[in-house]
Short mmCIF file of all heavy atoms in Angstrom, two decimals:
data_model
loop_
_atom_site.label_atom_id
_atom_site.label_comp_id
_atom_site.label_asym_id
_atom_site.label_seq_id
_atom_site.Cartn_x
_atom_site.Cartn_y
_atom_site.Cartn_z
N PHE A 308 -25.02 0.64 -4.52
CA PHE A 308 -26.03 -0.41 -4.31
C PHE A 308 -27.30 0.16 -3.69
O PHE A 308 -28.41 -0.26 -4.03
CB PHE A 308 -25.48 -1.53 -3.43
CG PHE A 308 -24.62 -2.51 -4.16
CD1 PHE A 308 -23.33 -2.77 -3.74
CD2 PHE A 308 -25.08 -3.18 -5.27
CE1 PHE A 308 -22.52 -3.67 -4.41
CE2 PHE A 308 -24.29 -4.09 -5.96
CZ PHE A 308 -23.01 -4.33 -5.52
N THR A 309 -27.16 1.12 -2.78
CA THR A 309 -28.33 1.75 -2.18
C THR A 309 -29.14 2.51 -3.23
O THR A 309 -30.37 2.43 -3.26
CB THR A 309 -27.92 2.68 -1.02
OG1 THR A 309 -27.21 1.91 -0.04
CG2 THR A 309 -29.12 3.32 -0.37
N GLY A 310 -28.44 3.25 -4.07
CA GLY A 310 -29.13 3.96 -5.15
C GLY A 310 -29.86 3.01 -6.09
O GLY A 310 -30.99 3.27 -6.53
N ASP A 311 -29.22 1.89 -6.39
CA ASP A 311 -29.85 0.89 -7.25
C ASP A 311 -31.09 0.30 -6.59
O ASP A 311 -32.12 0.10 -7.23
CB ASP A 311 -28.85 -0.22 -7.58
CG ASP A 311 -29.42 -1.27 -8.49
OD1 ASP A 311 -30.00 -0.91 -9.53
OD2 ASP A 311 -29.31 -2.47 -8.15
N SER A 312 -31.02 0.05 -5.29
CA SER A 312 -32.17 -0.54 -4.60
C SER A 312 -33.30 0.48 -4.46
O SER A 312 -34.47 0.10 -4.48
CB SER A 312 -31.76 -1.11 -3.24
OG SER A 312 -31.28 -0.10 -2.39
N VAL A 313 -32.98 1.77 -4.34
CA VAL A 313 -34.03 2.80 -4.32
C VAL A 313 -34.76 2.81 -5.66
O VAL A 313 -36.00 2.84 -5.71
CB VAL A 313 -33.43 4.19 -4.00
CG1 VAL A 313 -34.42 5.29 -4.29
CG2 VAL A 313 -32.98 4.25 -2.55
N SER A 314 -34.02 2.76 -6.75
CA SER A 314 -34.67 2.74 -8.07
C SER A 314 -35.47 1.46 -8.26
O SER A 314 -36.53 1.47 -8.91
CB SER A 314 -33.64 2.92 -9.18
OG SER A 314 -32.81 1.79 -9.29
N GLU A 315 -34.99 0.36 -7.69
CA GLU A 315 -35.73 -0.91 -7.78
C GLU A 315 -37.07 -0.81 -7.06
O GLU A 315 -38.08 -1.32 -7.55
CB GLU A 315 -34.88 -2.03 -7.18
CG GLU A 315 -35.52 -3.40 -7.24
CD GLU A 315 -34.67 -4.47 -6.58
OE1 GLU A 315 -33.65 -4.16 -5.96
OE2 GLU A 315 -35.07 -5.65 -6.67
N VAL A 316 -37.09 -0.14 -5.90
CA VAL A 316 -38.34 0.02 -5.16
C VAL A 316 -39.32 0.88 -5.96
O VAL A 316 -40.53 0.60 -5.99
CB VAL A 316 -38.08 0.63 -3.76
CG1 VAL A 316 -39.36 1.10 -3.10
CG2 VAL A 316 -37.39 -0.38 -2.86
N PHE A 317 -38.83 1.92 -6.64
CA PHE A 317 -39.71 2.79 -7.41
C PHE A 317 -40.26 2.10 -8.66
O PHE A 317 -41.38 2.36 -9.07
CB PHE A 317 -39.01 4.08 -7.80
CG PHE A 317 -38.94 5.08 -6.68
CD1 PHE A 317 -37.72 5.58 -6.27
CD2 PHE A 317 -40.08 5.53 -6.04
CE1 PHE A 317 -37.65 6.51 -5.24
CE2 PHE A 317 -40.03 6.45 -5.02
CZ PHE A 317 -38.80 6.94 -4.61
N THR A 318 -39.48 1.22 -9.26
CA THR A 318 -39.96 0.56 -10.48
C THR A 318 -40.78 -0.69 -10.18
O THR A 318 -41.72 -0.99 -10.90
CB THR A 318 -38.77 0.17 -11.40
OG1 THR A 318 -37.88 -0.66 -10.69
CG2 THR A 318 -38.06 1.41 -11.91
N ASP A 319 -40.42 -1.43 -9.14
CA ASP A 319 -41.12 -2.67 -8.81
C ASP A 319 -41.19 -2.80 -7.30
O ASP A 319 -40.34 -3.45 -6.69
CB ASP A 319 -40.39 -3.87 -9.43
CG ASP A 319 -41.03 -5.20 -9.05
OD1 ASP A 319 -42.26 -5.24 -8.94
OD2 ASP A 319 -40.28 -6.18 -8.89
N CYS A 320 -42.19 -2.20 -6.71
CA CYS A 320 -42.31 -2.22 -5.25
C CYS A 320 -42.85 -3.58 -4.80
O CYS A 320 -44.03 -3.87 -4.93
CB CYS A 320 -43.23 -1.09 -4.77
SG CYS A 320 -43.21 -0.90 -2.98
N SER A 321 -41.93 -4.41 -4.32
CA SER A 321 -42.30 -5.72 -3.82
C SER A 321 -41.58 -5.96 -2.50
O SER A 321 -40.73 -5.17 -2.09
CB SER A 321 -41.91 -6.81 -4.83
OG SER A 321 -40.50 -6.87 -4.95
N LEU A 322 -41.94 -7.03 -1.84
CA LEU A 322 -41.29 -7.36 -0.57
C LEU A 322 -39.80 -7.60 -0.78
O LEU A 322 -38.97 -7.19 0.04
CB LEU A 322 -41.95 -8.59 0.06
CG LEU A 322 -41.50 -8.98 1.45
CD1 LEU A 322 -41.76 -7.84 2.43
CD2 LEU A 322 -42.23 -10.23 1.90
N HIS A 323 -39.45 -8.20 -1.89
CA HIS A 323 -38.04 -8.46 -2.21
C HIS A 323 -37.27 -7.16 -2.39
O HIS A 323 -36.15 -7.01 -1.87
CB HIS A 323 -37.94 -9.32 -3.47
CG HIS A 323 -36.54 -9.59 -3.91
ND1 HIS A 323 -35.72 -10.48 -3.27
CD2 HIS A 323 -35.82 -9.05 -4.93
CE1 HIS A 323 -34.54 -10.47 -3.86
NE2 HIS A 323 -34.58 -9.63 -4.88
N SER A 324 -37.83 -6.21 -3.12
CA SER A 324 -37.13 -4.95 -3.37
C SER A 324 -37.02 -4.12 -2.08
O SER A 324 -36.01 -3.44 -1.87
CB SER A 324 -37.81 -4.15 -4.48
OG SER A 324 -39.12 -3.79 -4.11
N ILE A 325 -38.02 -4.18 -1.22
CA ILE A 325 -37.95 -3.46 0.05
C ILE A 325 -36.89 -4.10 0.96
O ILE A 325 -36.14 -3.40 1.63
CB ILE A 325 -39.33 -3.42 0.74
CG1 ILE A 325 -40.27 -2.53 -0.08
CG2 ILE A 325 -39.23 -2.91 2.17
CD1 ILE A 325 -41.71 -2.58 0.36
N GLY A 326 -36.79 -5.42 0.95
CA GLY A 326 -35.74 -6.10 1.70
C GLY A 326 -34.36 -5.74 1.19
O GLY A 326 -33.42 -5.54 1.96
N HIS A 327 -34.24 -5.63 -0.13
CA HIS A 327 -32.97 -5.24 -0.74
C HIS A 327 -32.60 -3.82 -0.32
O HIS A 327 -31.44 -3.54 -0.01
CB HIS A 327 -33.09 -5.36 -2.26
CG HIS A 327 -31.82 -5.15 -3.00
ND1 HIS A 327 -31.78 -4.54 -4.22
CD2 HIS A 327 -30.54 -5.45 -2.71
CE1 HIS A 327 -30.53 -4.48 -4.64
NE2 HIS A 327 -29.76 -5.02 -3.74
N LEU A 328 -33.58 -2.92 -0.29
CA LEU A 328 -33.34 -1.54 0.13
C LEU A 328 -32.92 -1.49 1.60
O LEU A 328 -31.96 -0.80 1.95
CB LEU A 328 -34.59 -0.69 -0.08
CG LEU A 328 -34.52 0.74 0.44
CD1 LEU A 328 -33.41 1.52 -0.27
CD2 LEU A 328 -35.86 1.44 0.28
N LEU A 329 -33.59 -2.22 2.45
CA LEU A 329 -33.25 -2.25 3.87
C LEU A 329 -31.83 -2.78 4.08
O LEU A 329 -31.04 -2.21 4.84
CB LEU A 329 -34.26 -3.09 4.65
CG LEU A 329 -34.01 -3.23 6.14
CD1 LEU A 329 -34.10 -1.87 6.82
CD2 LEU A 329 -35.01 -4.19 6.75
N ALA A 330 -31.48 -3.85 3.39
CA ALA A 330 -30.14 -4.41 3.51
C ALA A 330 -29.08 -3.42 3.03
O ALA A 330 -28.03 -3.26 3.66
CB ALA A 330 -30.05 -5.71 2.71
N SER A 331 -29.36 -2.73 1.94
CA SER A 331 -28.41 -1.75 1.41
C SER A 331 -28.22 -0.59 2.39
O SER A 331 -27.09 -0.12 2.59
CB SER A 331 -28.89 -1.20 0.07
OG SER A 331 -28.94 -2.23 -0.88
N LEU A 332 -29.31 -0.12 3.00
CA LEU A 332 -29.21 0.98 3.96
C LEU A 332 -28.42 0.57 5.20
O LEU A 332 -27.60 1.34 5.71
CB LEU A 332 -30.60 1.46 4.35
CG LEU A 332 -31.36 2.23 3.27
CD1 LEU A 332 -32.80 2.48 3.71
CD2 LEU A 332 -30.66 3.53 2.94
N LEU A 333 -28.65 -0.65 5.67
CA LEU A 333 -27.89 -1.14 6.83
C LEU A 333 -26.41 -1.29 6.49
O LEU A 333 -25.54 -0.95 7.29
CB LEU A 333 -28.47 -2.47 7.32
CG LEU A 333 -29.84 -2.39 7.98
CD1 LEU A 333 -30.37 -3.79 8.24
CD2 LEU A 333 -29.77 -1.59 9.27
N PHE A 334 -26.13 -1.78 5.30
CA PHE A 334 -24.75 -1.96 4.87
C PHE A 334 -24.05 -0.61 4.75
O PHE A 334 -22.89 -0.46 5.18
CB PHE A 334 -24.75 -2.69 3.52
CG PHE A 334 -23.43 -3.25 3.14
CD1 PHE A 334 -22.91 -4.36 3.77
CD2 PHE A 334 -22.68 -2.67 2.12
CE1 PHE A 334 -21.69 -4.88 3.41
CE2 PHE A 334 -21.45 -3.18 1.75
CZ PHE A 334 -20.96 -4.29 2.40
N THR A 335 -24.73 0.38 4.18
CA THR A 335 -24.15 1.71 4.05
C THR A 335 -23.90 2.32 5.41
O THR A 335 -22.86 2.95 5.64
CB THR A 335 -25.07 2.62 3.21
OG1 THR A 335 -25.23 2.02 1.92
CG2 THR A 335 -24.49 4.00 3.04
N THR A 336 -24.83 2.15 6.34
CA THR A 336 -24.65 2.67 7.70
C THR A 336 -23.44 2.03 8.35
O THR A 336 -22.64 2.71 8.99
CB THR A 336 -25.92 2.40 8.54
OG1 THR A 336 -27.04 3.00 7.89
CG2 THR A 336 -25.76 2.95 9.94
N GLY A 337 -23.27 0.74 8.18
CA GLY A 337 -22.10 0.05 8.71
C GLY A 337 -20.81 0.57 8.11
O GLY A 337 -19.81 0.74 8.82
N CYS A 338 -20.82 0.86 6.82
CA CYS A 338 -19.63 1.41 6.17
C CYS A 338 -19.27 2.78 6.74
O CYS A 338 -18.10 3.09 6.95
CB CYS A 338 -19.85 1.53 4.66
SG CYS A 338 -19.93 -0.05 3.82
N ILE A 339 -20.29 3.60 7.00
CA ILE A 339 -20.03 4.93 7.57
C ILE A 339 -19.41 4.80 8.95
O ILE A 339 -18.49 5.53 9.31
CB ILE A 339 -21.34 5.75 7.61
CG1 ILE A 339 -21.77 6.10 6.19
CG2 ILE A 339 -21.18 7.00 8.46
CD1 ILE A 339 -23.17 6.67 6.08
N LEU A 340 -19.89 3.84 9.73
CA LEU A 340 -19.35 3.64 11.08
C LEU A 340 -17.90 3.15 11.06
O LEU A 340 -17.16 3.38 12.02
CB LEU A 340 -20.23 2.67 11.86
CG LEU A 340 -21.64 3.18 12.16
CD1 LEU A 340 -22.46 2.09 12.84
CD2 LEU A 340 -21.60 4.44 13.01
N PHE A 341 -17.49 2.50 9.97
CA PHE A 341 -16.11 2.01 9.86
C PHE A 341 -15.15 3.03 9.25
O PHE A 341 -14.00 2.72 8.99
CB PHE A 341 -16.05 0.73 9.02
CG PHE A 341 -16.32 -0.50 9.83
CD1 PHE A 341 -17.50 -1.21 9.66
CD2 PHE A 341 -15.42 -0.96 10.76
CE1 PHE A 341 -17.76 -2.34 10.39
CE2 PHE A 341 -15.67 -2.09 11.51
CZ PHE A 341 -16.84 -2.78 11.32
N LEU A 342 -15.61 4.26 9.05
CA LEU A 342 -14.76 5.27 8.42
C LEU A 342 -13.80 5.95 9.39
O LEU A 342 -13.27 7.00 9.08
CB LEU A 342 -15.60 6.34 7.73
CG LEU A 342 -16.07 6.00 6.34
CD1 LEU A 342 -16.93 7.11 5.77
CD2 LEU A 342 -14.91 5.74 5.41
N GLN A 343 -13.53 5.36 10.52
CA GLN A 343 -12.56 5.93 11.45
C GLN A 343 -11.17 5.88 10.83
O GLN A 343 -10.83 4.96 10.11
CB GLN A 343 -12.51 5.13 12.74
CG GLN A 343 -13.77 5.14 13.54
CD GLN A 343 -13.56 4.35 14.81
OE1 GLN A 343 -12.55 4.51 15.46
NE2 GLN A 343 -14.50 3.50 15.13
N GLU A 344 -10.38 6.87 11.15
CA GLU A 344 -8.99 6.84 10.73
C GLU A 344 -8.25 5.78 11.54
O GLU A 344 -8.58 5.54 12.70
CB GLU A 344 -8.34 8.21 10.96
CG GLU A 344 -8.84 9.28 10.03
CD GLU A 344 -8.44 9.04 8.58
OE1 GLU A 344 -7.32 8.56 8.32
OE2 GLU A 344 -9.27 9.32 7.71
N PRO A 345 -7.24 5.13 10.97
CA PRO A 345 -6.49 4.12 11.71
C PRO A 345 -5.87 4.66 13.00
O PRO A 345 -5.77 3.95 13.99
CB PRO A 345 -5.41 3.68 10.73
CG PRO A 345 -5.95 4.02 9.39
CD PRO A 345 -6.83 5.22 9.59
N THR A 346 -5.50 5.94 13.03
CA THR A 346 -4.92 6.51 14.26
C THR A 346 -5.96 6.58 15.36
O THR A 346 -5.65 6.38 16.52
CB THR A 346 -4.34 7.91 13.99
OG1 THR A 346 -5.36 8.74 13.44
CG2 THR A 346 -3.17 7.84 13.07
N GLN A 347 -7.21 6.84 15.00
CA GLN A 347 -8.27 6.85 16.00
C GLN A 347 -8.49 5.45 16.56
O GLN A 347 -8.75 5.29 17.74
CB GLN A 347 -9.56 7.38 15.40
CG GLN A 347 -9.54 8.85 15.05
CD GLN A 347 -10.79 9.29 14.32
OE1 GLN A 347 -11.56 8.47 13.84
NE2 GLN A 347 -10.97 10.59 14.20
N GLN A 348 -8.38 4.45 15.73
CA GLN A 348 -8.55 3.07 16.19
C GLN A 348 -7.43 2.68 17.13
O GLN A 348 -7.64 2.02 18.13
CB GLN A 348 -8.60 2.11 15.00
CG GLN A 348 -9.87 2.23 14.19
CD GLN A 348 -9.86 1.29 13.01
OE1 GLN A 348 -8.85 0.66 12.69
NE2 GLN A 348 -10.98 1.20 12.33
N GLU A 349 -6.19 3.10 16.83
CA GLU A 349 -5.06 2.78 17.68
C GLU A 349 -5.20 3.47 19.03
O GLU A 349 -4.85 2.91 20.07
CB GLU A 349 -3.76 3.17 17.01
CG GLU A 349 -3.43 2.30 15.81
CD GLU A 349 -2.24 2.82 15.03
OE1 GLU A 349 -1.57 3.77 15.51
OE2 GLU A 349 -1.96 2.28 13.95
N ASP A 350 -5.71 4.71 19.05
CA ASP A 350 -5.90 5.44 20.29
C ASP A 350 -6.95 4.74 21.17
O ASP A 350 -6.80 4.67 22.37
CB ASP A 350 -6.36 6.87 20.02
CG ASP A 350 -5.25 7.72 19.42
OD1 ASP A 350 -4.07 7.30 19.53
OD2 ASP A 350 -5.55 8.78 18.84
N SER A 351 -8.01 4.21 20.56
CA SER A 351 -9.04 3.55 21.34
C SER A 351 -8.54 2.22 21.91
O SER A 351 -9.02 1.76 22.94
CB SER A 351 -10.31 3.35 20.52
OG SER A 351 -10.07 2.46 19.46
N LYS A 352 -7.58 1.58 21.24
CA LYS A 352 -7.03 0.31 21.73
C LYS A 352 -6.17 0.53 22.98
O LYS A 352 -6.06 -0.34 23.82
CB LYS A 352 -6.20 -0.38 20.66
CG LYS A 352 -7.00 -0.97 19.54
CD LYS A 352 -6.08 -1.61 18.51
CE LYS A 352 -6.86 -2.10 17.32
NZ LYS A 352 -5.99 -2.66 16.28
N SER A 353 -5.57 1.70 23.07
CA SER A 353 -4.66 1.95 24.20
C SER A 353 -5.42 2.31 25.48
O SER A 353 -4.84 2.37 26.54
CB SER A 353 -3.67 3.07 23.87
OG SER A 353 -4.37 4.28 23.64
N LEU A 354 -6.73 2.56 25.38
CA LEU A 354 -7.51 2.91 26.57
C LEU A 354 -7.80 1.74 27.43
O LEU A 354 -7.90 0.72 27.40
CB LEU A 354 -8.82 3.60 26.17
CG LEU A 354 -8.66 4.95 25.51
CD1 LEU A 354 -10.04 5.47 25.10
CD2 LEU A 354 -8.01 5.95 26.45
#
């Protein structure tokens, strides 16, 4: 989705396409932050 929104900005640079790009980047960042292994999550719960 981020790649699609980057291409959308290059083909039609509008406020809508920039908002779509920003949302995609935030969503991707959130996905990266959730990439913890389940064992790491269990260890943090025990603290």
